[in-house]
Amino acid sequence: MTEPQNRNELLKSIPKTDRILERIPKSIPHTLKVTVCREVLDGLRRQILKGRISSAEALGLERVVGLVKDALERRLRPSLRPLINATGVVVHTNLGRSLLPEDVFKQIFEVAVNYSNLEYDLEAGRRGSRYSHVEPILCELTGAESALVVNNNAAAVLLTLETLARGREVIVSRGELVEIGGSFRIPDVMARSGAILREVGATNRTHLRDYENAINENTALLMKVHQSNFAVVGFTSKVSMGELKELGRRHNIPVIEDLGSGNLVDLTPYGFTHEPTVQESLKAGADLVSFSGDKMLGGPQAGIIVGKTELVDRIKKNPMNRAVRIDKLTLAGLEAILSIYRNPEEALKRIPTLKMLSMPYEETKKRAQRLARHLRRQGLEGVEVDYMDTISRVGGGAMPLQELKSRGVVLDLSRLSPKGVDAAALERELRAGEPPVIARIEDERILFDTRTIRDRELPVLSECVKMALKRAERASA
Ligand SMILES: *Cc1c(COP(=O)(O)O)cnc(C)c1O
């Protein structure tokens, strides 16, 4: 701690703004330079007043110019940028959910930098429909009569309810009134759509008679919602799509399902618990099914609605559809992803989300060995590199109970901790690096789950660790 009189001396020795600005490249806009310079100097003043800076050396012109340049660099780089996901959560909503294969991106690139037939019928030589690019393949893959794509699944659900049930009742089981992260809640979306939620059954058990007793002349839809991100276990009972369809048929009421994360391939051969695929839901009798493009499908953000032509046509004509319409880049990406699904084995190999989800434990083990080799090569002094079995998660609010056995690499910092560099400090510096690395902390150790780290990222990550460790050591010195 510095004495108060020293603090005044230190405050006076802060370099003058003009002298700093002279040394910043001319190419940077003047006002930005001034703003950032002021911020840095204010920060230094605060640190002096708190007694955290005790020598004039920390305030030398070169050092302060360096701080301003660093701050400018942080300000000028893109805010949204790539990072390494070492959490083992595959469809990580906060980290961008799904990754596109690079060749899919080429398709998006071509459509982005050229004019395209977005809404032009090349055969007829007149206006066409943007939906025509993905509707046929969606029908081919799912067996649906018709399809429509919108901005995301939340929009798909809202639009469907608004079109088919505004001012009328929609019957949903109390066990399916789910909240997805980010404020999407079935009861709230229902209210916004103008539909009236008619909840039936109990949280753990709903019977067919519960639906049947709630049907009246104002019932518009019977709706099933996938319990995406939670599970009810124990004394439970729910009504199958088949039974609901039969009930709907008798009363002439359509049955719809919000599948959330729609799977097009069955992952049970890869050790997954069974989840209905989009095809299965339609086959069981759903008149409409909606799902996300960027959850387990592994594509771009989109909401997909498939089902009966009569219902899909009504949704297409809703003026609200225009407000949630899909853009051309997403369409290009979605079409390319869907075409990979024509060969499901190909999809498991080429779509990163599916590849990571279906990656066997043995493969994660090999990757862990490779990562450990890279890390050891960095010669990280005082850091022990070891292995640990861990559990990866599907994420994205899908399959919450699904445990994917995986192999991680751990960094034990116990020999450095007395010097102030512990797992929390390193984790913070890893996030601050370029590219940032998002890791987990387990038992005071840094854990990298190798399932979500791509091959080419293995050497990059070890480089990032080295730099982060240096920064953490400097910060604690
Ligand atoms: C994820 C999810 C949604 C929202 O989908 P977005 O594509 O994120 O808008 C809606 N319903 C269910 C059941 C979900 O799991």
Side-chain angles (χ1 to χ4, degrees):
M1 275 301 213
T2 44
E3 299 301 321
Q5 62 270 33
N6 276 350
R7 293 182 192 176
N8 273 333
E9 288 301 311
L10 288 170
L11 285 173
K12 277 186 218 149
S13 68
I14 291 177
K16 295 279 164 290
T17 308
D18 289 345
R19 294 193 55 209
I20 300 168
L21 293 181
E22 276 168 15
R23 298 179 175 231
I24 307 291
K26 295 241 180 322
S27 56
I28 298 171
H30 185 71
T31 44
L32 182 64
K33 269 193 282 204
V34 173
T35 311
V36 169
C37 187
R38 276 201 194 124
E39 283 168 10
V40 169
L41 297 187
D42 284 347
L44 288 173
R45 272 183 213 109
R46 273 196 302 276
Q47 285 191 300
I48 291 170
L49 292 173
K50 281 187 192 154
R52 293 219 193 102
I53 291 179
S54 52
S55 84
E57 268 160 52
L59 303 167
L61 181 62
E62 285 313 315
R63 183 165 184 275
V64 177
V65 168
L67 291 176
V68 174
K69 281 184 177 166
D70 287 350
L72 275 166
E73 198 181 296
R74 281 196 298 275
R75 184 70 69 92
L76 290 170
R77 74 184 171 198
S79 166
L80 178 59
R81 60 211 152 95
L83 54 72
I84 297 176
N85 172 11
T87 65
V89 180
V90 178
V91 186
H92 200 307
T93 295
N94 302 144
L95 305 185
R97 279 196 183 164
S98 282
L99 319 181
L100 297 181
E102 288 186 10
D103 48 349
V104 163
F105 188 74
K106 281 199 196 94
Q107 192 59 31
I108 299 176
F109 175 82
E110 292 301 333
V111 167
V113 304
N114 293 293
Y115 286 113
S116 64
N117 60 337
L118 178 64
E119 290 185 351
Y120 188 76
D121 184 334
L122 287 169
E123 246 171 74
R126 58 174 140 79
R127 192 176 200 283
S129 156
R130 69 173 59 214
Y131 304 109
S132 68
H133 306 293
V134 289
E135 187 166 15
I137 190 164
L138 277 168
C139 294
E140 175 195 321
L141 294 172
T142 64
E145 288 175 7
S146 285
L148 172 65
V149 283
V150 293
N151 181 57
N152 58 9
N153 189 33
V157 174
L158 180 70
L159 186 64
T160 301
L161 292 172
E162 211 275 343
T163 311
L164 305 176
R166 192 157 59 110
R168 299 179 63 204
E169 292 181 7
V170 180
I171 306 178
V172 187
S173 159
R174 287 200 168 89
E176 299 178 1
L177 296 174
V178 21
E179 171 182 316
I180 315 296
S183 74
F184 177 95
R185 294 169 131 189
I186 288 293
D188 297 348
V189 171
M190 190 81 72
R192 280 291 159 146
S193 74
I196 302 155
L197 172 63
R198 185 70 196 270
E199 33 183 299
V200 297
T203 306
N204 56 331
R205 286 169 73 84
T206 302
H207 309 283
L208 190 63
R209 63 172 183 276
D210 294 323
Y211 288 92
E212 185 147 34
N213 292 340
I215 290 177
N216 60 48
E217 65 287 350
N218 201 28
T219 305
L221 298 169
L222 304 178
M223 183 181 190
K224 271 183 87 64
V225 182
H226 191 256
Q227 292 173 335
S228 297
N229 52 4
F230 71 106
V232 183
V233 293
F235 188 52
T236 66
S237 157
K238 49 183 180 180
V239 177
S240 73
M241 175 52 76
E243 292 171 282
L244 214 53
K245 172 64 199 164
E246 181 50 32
L247 179 66
R249 200 192 49 76
R250 275 192 272 125
H251 294 267
N252 202 19
I253 300 168
V255 182
I256 67 170
E257 180 160 30
D258 173 13
L259 263 187
S261 174
N263 296 7
L264 293 179
V265 284
D266 178 15
L267 288 171
T268 46
Y270 300 89
F272 280 72
T273 44
H274 182 261
E275 291 258 345
T277 59
V278 177
Q279 301 89 307
E280 283 168 352
S281 176
L282 287 170
K283 212 172 194 172
D287 293 300
L288 279 185
V289 176
S290 77
F291 53 102
S292 288
D294 58 348
K295 288 187 180 171
M296 287 175 78
L297 190 80
Q301 177 190 306
I304 301 168
I305 305 169
V306 293
K308 292 270 153 58
T309 302
E310 188 245 322
L311 301 176
V312 173
D313 278 352
R314 279 168 64 195
I315 299 172
K316 279 181 184 165
K317 287 190 198 118
N318 186 336
M320 210 191 237
N321 183 20
R322 174 57 194 258
V324 296
R325 86 172 174 184
I326 194 159
D327 85 301
K328 63 178 179 179
L329 304 188
T330 309
L331 265 179
L334 193 58
E335 184 187 4
I337 279 284
L338 290 171
S339 68
I340 301 176
Y341 274 97
R342 286 201 166 109
N343 181 346
E345 267 171 42
E346 238 348 63
L348 285 162
K349 277 199 218 113
R350 281 177 54 202
I351 298 176
T353 301
L354 291 184
K355 192 172 159 186
M356 289 186 228
L357 288 174
S358 61
M359 185 183 289
Y361 171 69
E362 284 308 315
E363 174 63 24
T364 65
K365 218 167 152 179
K366 279 189 213 142
R367 304 160 66 89
Q369 276 163 0
R370 257 180 281 151
L371 178 58
R373 254 200 316 276
H374 282 295
L375 284 164
R376 289 190 180 121
R377 230 177 267 153
Q378 298 288 352
L380 311 168
E381 229 171 292
V383 179
E384 215 171 302
V385 181
D386 207 347
Y387 300 104
M388 185 179 135
D389 279 344
T390 183
I391 301 292
S392 317
R393 296 280 171 190
V394 175
M399 302 197 181
L401 297 186
Q402 188 69 53
E403 298 195 335
L404 307 167
K405 192 177 166 205
S406 181
R407 188 75 160 163
V409 173
V410 281
L411 301 180
D412 189 328
L413 304 169
S414 44
R415 281 202 274 148
L416 291 175
S417 296
K419 294 189 219 153
V421 181
D422 56 8
L426 182 58
E427 187 270 342
R428 205 165 43 236
E429 288 301 337
L430 281 168
R431 271 190 278 125
E434 195 54 52
V437 175
I438 312 299
R440 269 161 45 196
I441 296 183
E442 231 157 90
D443 300 333
E444 306 288 312
R445 297 185 298 176
I446 299 270
L447 167 66
F448 304 115
D449 185 336
T450 54
R451 181 178 298 273
T452 49
I453 307 169
R454 269 102 42 80
D455 284 333
R456 64 162 187 271
E457 292 172 339
L458 295 172
V460 182
L461 191 153
S462 61
E463 195 68 38
C464 289
V465 171
K466 186 180 175 176
M467 307 293 281
L469 198 60
K470 269 195 197 153
R471 287 195 304 275
E473 280 171 343
R474 230 184 297 136
S476 76

